[in-house]
Amino acid sequence: MSLRESDLKQEPACTINRLGNYLWSDLPDENKWADCVHCGMCLESCPTYEQTGQEQHSPRGRVHLIKSVAEGKLEVNEAFADPVFACLDCRACTTACPADVDVGGLIEEARGQIRQALPLTGWKGAVSRFFLEGVFPHPSRLHLLSSLLKFYQKSGLQKVARKTRLINIMPKHLVEMEAILPKVKQPVRKKYKHAGVIKAKGETRRTVALLTGCVMDVMFSDINEATINVLTRNGNDVIIPQNQTCCGALHVHAGDRETGRKLAKQNIEAFKDVDRVIVNAAGCGCMLKEYPELFREDPKWREKAEKFSSKVEDISKYLHDTGYEKPKAEIKTRITYHDACHLAHGQGVRQEPRDILLSIPGVEMVHMPNADRCCGSAGIYNITHPEMAEAVLQSKMQNVPEDVEIISMGNPGCMLQMAMGVLKYGRNQKIVHTVQLLDWAYQKEDSLKEVK
Ligand code: SF4
Ligand code: SF4
């Protein structure tokens, strides 16, 4: 099954599933707010409440607003949309909540209603459609974007644009993002297009499939490469299904659940013949695990989505659980670890990446206070809400220990945002994915063997 242009068009609105003032299909799940007892234990965990001190920008406030629309007390209008879209979808409140209220899931469902009732228009609508519908779901366009960025960096254009300050014609936050653009390399999906199976080094113990991601493979293909190296070194044959697509997280976060469902269906089909789907981007992994939520009204696809999501595993958890070769070469460095929200709060993966980092000889781990506090990246939040994202980043950077050389984490969005934090606040730290450091240790070990 492949995604066609026509699949991306919005289906006509359905008005039969009315719930209070929610008039559109794919209603928010009443069970998600039923358990909220308004205790407020989630308030302190919420970065937007920390910044504003306003109840409507807290998890409890948002749950109350969403419920009020279902009760017909509030309309789906801009005043409702503002606090719902100002949420970072960081899931810290879900961890804090003693009643397990899935605030993040509820927020996404409410956004789906808002975007059907109030579609984005003007330049915001055009930009959103261009990237969400026109670029991310299409590998060939992503590869073109990767080639353009590579040309921009290698041709000297980047140097000229920076030197002449021509770059400053862009909005401020885009200029800041350009400054932290990683060195773009060939996407692994393109590189291994005809590879079939990338064979394990030595005896094959398992076969896994890799989700290459869209942002990950364009901006951080070296992390995908490191992931393949680490997997094959540990007895895994690796498959990269060529009909896989974007996970849909950015679409679902933006309220476009229909496109999210179409992308989900394509991925479910693309990975149907494998037992394990390995993901190295926390946001994508969390989305893949939550595919069943997109099919609450479609039992057939819900069943398929449940089967699929049970196969999804973050790379750090997979290595930790199945066993991996402990590196022998020393990498003498002081590091700190940032918990990506969608890994810690979204998937409950906290200790595994820390254990992997600590298994590298020479690595000294420095504790980061509030390590699982959002960095402000949150998909495209730092583009849609630059001021709040900046305030959240500032708060995060205050917790990053000064005396470390590396900040490690497991999500590309966080890596870009933290790189921006390092640049803005005059720090001098490298941003490294957990699996990259492990790969470096293996490579060092191999090169030392060659010298002997
Ligand atoms: S979401 Fe959870 S923690 Fe927050 S007020 Fe409701 S029950 Fe309490
Ligand atoms: S998901 Fe994050 S930003 Fe949104 S309400 Fe919960 S804690 Fe606040």
Side-chain angles (χ1 to χ4, degrees):
M1 177 181 165
S2 65
L3 198 73
R4 299 184 307 270
E5 289 285 330
S6 58
D7 289 332
L8 293 173
K9 299 226 166 71
Q10 283 279 18
E11 283 171 5
C14 167
T15 52
I16 49 172
N17 290 329
R18 184 180 177 126
L19 174 66
N21 284 328
Y22 293 121
L23 307 177
W24 301 75
S25 60
D26 196 7
L27 293 169
D29 180 2
E30 291 176 77
N31 295 318
K32 286 200 174 86
W33 64 70
D35 292 332
C36 177
V37 291
H38 317 290
C39 64
M41 287 179 73
C42 51
L43 298 188
E44 296 304 315
S45 69
C46 177
T48 55
Y49 181 71
E50 181 191 26
Q51 295 300 327
T52 63
Q54 294 172 6
E55 178 71 14
Q56 63 167 348
H57 287 293
S58 77
R60 180 176 66 185
R62 289 178 174 122
V63 171
H64 181 70
L65 291 174
I66 292 167
K67 186 179 168 204
S68 297
V69 175
E71 291 170 346
K73 295 176 188 162
L74 279 181
E75 301 282 329
V76 177
N77 55 23
E78 291 297 339
F80 172 61
D82 179 48
V84 172
F85 274 93
C87 166
L88 290 145
D89 203 6
C90 71
R91 313 293 175 96
C93 48
T94 304
T95 300
C97 175
D100 282 338
V101 175
D102 179 8
V103 186
L106 203 49
I107 296 270
E108 286 177 353
E109 289 162 12
R111 286 178 180 178
Q113 290 289 310
I114 293 168
R115 276 298 155 257
Q116 290 180 86
L118 308 166
L120 282 179
T121 52
W123 70 268
K124 280 188 179 173
V127 171
S128 164
R129 275 191 299 281
F130 176 75
F131 283 105
L132 294 185
E133 296 179 15
V135 178
F136 291 131
H138 306 281
S140 57
R141 295 178 199 172
L142 278 169
H143 294 165
L144 178 64
L145 178 66
S146 159
S147 302
L148 289 173
L149 286 172
K150 218 156 64 181
F151 175 76
Y152 171 68
Q153 291 179 329
K154 285 199 161 177
S155 65
L157 218 58
Q158 185 176 42
K159 273 190 193 149
V160 173
R162 287 180 180 179
K163 214 171 171 180
T164 57
R165 302 186 185 220
L166 201 66
I167 200 90
N168 294 342
I169 56 170
M170 293 198 300
K172 183 174 162 262
H173 56 280
L174 290 184
V175 176
E176 289 169 353
M177 290 185 83
E178 193 278 343
I180 47 108
L181 200 62
K183 216 174 210 168
V184 176
K185 297 186 184 136
Q186 188 185 28
V188 300
R189 185 158 164 195
K190 196 172 177 186
K191 181 176 171 186
Y192 294 106
K193 192 169 180 185
H194 304 294
V197 178
I198 308 164
K199 293 298 289 177
K201 291 172 188 133
E203 192 193 336
T204 299
R205 291 194 291 144
R206 293 180 187 84
T207 300
V208 299
L210 178 67
L211 180 97
T212 50
C214 41
V215 175
M216 186 60 114
D217 214 23
V218 169
M219 300 277 198
F220 296 107
S221 63
D222 49 346
I223 297 175
N224 276 344
E225 195 75 60
T227 306
I228 293 167
N229 290 345
V230 166
L231 284 168
T232 51
R233 186 172 186 118
N234 285 289
N236 297 283
D237 282 353
V238 179
I239 301 168
I240 300 179
Q242 286 296 313
N243 48 347
Q244 64 176 290
T245 187
C246 166
C247 69
L250 294 175
H251 306 78
V252 173
H253 293 177
D256 183 1
R257 294 170 69 81
E258 198 49 49
T259 304
R261 266 187 285 278
K262 280 162 187 158
L263 298 173
K265 285 181 180 178
Q266 186 169 335
N267 278 327
I268 290 168
E269 288 295 318
F271 290 95
K272 72 174 188 299
D273 296 327
V274 297
D275 296 329
R276 299 263 196 166
V277 181
I278 303 299
V279 189
N280 56 15
C284 305
C286 192
M287 183 71 247
L288 298 188
K289 284 183 178 230
E290 290 178 355
Y291 274 177
E293 285 292 307
L294 292 173
F295 298 103
R296 284 191 301 112
E297 296 172 2
D298 184 340
K300 188 179 130 224
W301 274 99
R302 185 175 173 103
E303 198 184 324
K304 288 187 186 194
E306 278 168 355
K307 190 172 169 209
F308 168 80
S309 64
S310 69
K311 301 190 286 192
V312 175
E313 199 85 274
D314 180 75
I315 178 70
S316 63
K317 181 155 171 52
Y318 176 72
L319 291 170
H320 192 271
D321 290 357
T322 56
Y324 64 98
E325 181 192 323
K326 303 289 179 293
K328 293 169 200 73
E330 190 176 69
I331 296 193
K332 224 171 159 29
T333 184
R334 279 166 73 80
I335 70 173
T336 194
Y337 180 77
H338 157 69
D339 287 283
C341 299
H342 287 90
L343 200 52
H345 303 300
Q347 300 180 59
V349 177
R350 292 169 183 266
Q351 195 52 43
E352 293 86 346
R354 289 180 167 86
D355 285 348
I356 289 174
L357 293 167
L358 282 169
S359 73
I360 301 169
V363 165
E364 188 187 340
M365 178 85 79
V366 181
H367 171 70
M368 180 194 295
N370 296 318
D372 64 354
R373 195 79 160 177
C374 184
C375 62
S377 165
I380 52 169
Y381 191 93
N382 51 7
I383 298 172
T384 57
H385 294 78
E387 282 164 19
M388 180 62 81
E390 163 60 27
V392 173
L393 177 62
Q394 188 178 13
S395 167
K396 180 84 207 176
M397 291 309 292
Q398 283 163 2
N399 283 314
V400 175
E402 295 271 357
D403 58 343
V404 294
E405 292 155 303
I406 287 176
I407 312 172
S408 183
M409 62 206 74
N411 191 47
C414 303
M415 292 182 76
L416 291 170
Q417 182 78 345
M418 295 297 280
M420 196 174 308
V422 164
L423 187 73
K424 268 194 171 174
Y425 296 97
R427 298 297 193 87
N428 190 23
Q429 286 129 353
K430 258 193 191 148
I431 308 296
V432 178
H433 193 287
T434 310
V435 89
Q436 260 179 321
L437 204 64
L438 182 60
D439 185 40
W440 292 349
Y442 287 150
Q443 282 180 28
K444 190 170 176 193
E445 190 177 318
D446 291 347
S447 61
L448 288 175
K449 270 185 205 156
E450 276 170 26
V451 172
K452 281 182 193 168

